[in-house]
Amino acid sequence: MRLILLGAPGAGKGTVAKLLTQLDGSVQISTGDILRSAVREGSDLGKKAQGYMTRGELVPDALIMGIMGERLMENDCKSGFLLDGFPRTIPQAEELKILLEKLHITLDFVVNLNVPKNIILDRLTTRRTCSNPECQAIYNIKSMPSKVEGICDKCGSPTIQRDDETEEAITKRLDTFNEQTAPLVDFYNNEGLLLDINATSSDAVVSAIRERLGS
Ligand code: AMP
């Protein structure tokens, strides 16, 4: 499958993408994960991106398009992909459209995850992520805690709260989303590609996507 997952931070894009990869070998491409690993490695990209990320702002479009232009040409994308956190601005969406045309790739559709703001705020402040870059399993201290507090079930590494999951950064990320990313819903609606889903459980979201795919 070839899908874009749209939704505010904390709407569940990453969790849904991980579930979908298990269905048919499509790969999850998360620009947030790519940027976080660049920051950890201290690469040029990471140095350029870090300040924006900590402040809850978007990284400049040119940097993101540089990453995605290369990533979509990698071999593993041939079995399908789930774009998680990209595009996030109208210019990114317009450039992606041109890029996909050039690569002769057709999207199935664009999923918009509608989740109420109070649920999003609660999820983000209680989310914990495995600190092992190879694992990055996601937990929630209220609804999906790890078996041993602070330790990842899958790999045994410590689970952590991300730098951009402080209340201040979360508020800023939600404002950024409303200003710069929410307009993509209209953009993809006009393209005839939008699938709006009002569901808070990731299993219900996956079912709605499968139904639309006819799988
Ligand atoms: P995420 O994990 O998707 O919430 O991304 C974490 C941070 O990475 C965001 O708050 C942005 O600073 C940056 N980021 C991720 N994807 C993009 C994108 N497509 N465009 C601009 N910045 C991005």
Side-chain angles (χ1 to χ4, degrees), residues 29-31 34 61-74 77 81-87 92 96 99 103:
I29 304 179
S30 154
T31 38
I34 295 171
D61 290 337
L63 276 185
I64 297 289
M65 291 316 301
I67 301 172
M68 289 306 293
E70 286 181 15
R71 184 66 188 89
L72 283 169
M73 278 193 279
E74 282 174 31
C77 291
F81 52 76
L82 306 150
L83 302 185
D84 159 11
F86 170 84
Q92 288 180 20
L96 174 65
L99 181 64
L103 298 173

Side-chain angles (χ1 to χ4, degrees), residues 14 16 21 56 63-64 66 93 99 103 108 121 125-126 146 161 167 181 183 185 193 197 202 205-206 208 210:
V16 167
T21 57
L63 276 185
I64 297 289
L99 181 64
L103 298 173
D108 292 309
L121 279 175
T125 46
T126 51
S146 53
Q161 185 165 24
E167 216 157 310
T181 310
V185 172
L193 285 171
I197 303 182
S202 36
V205 173
V206 169
R210 292 186 71 167

Side-chain angles (χ1 to χ4, degrees), residues 10 14 21 31 40-41 45 54 100 102 104 116 118-119 142 145:
T21 57
T31 38
R40 266 193 310 270
E41 285 160 13
L45 169 67
T54 316
L100 292 177
K102 236 194 302 184
H104 305 290
N118 60 326
I119 296 185
K142 282 193 196 161

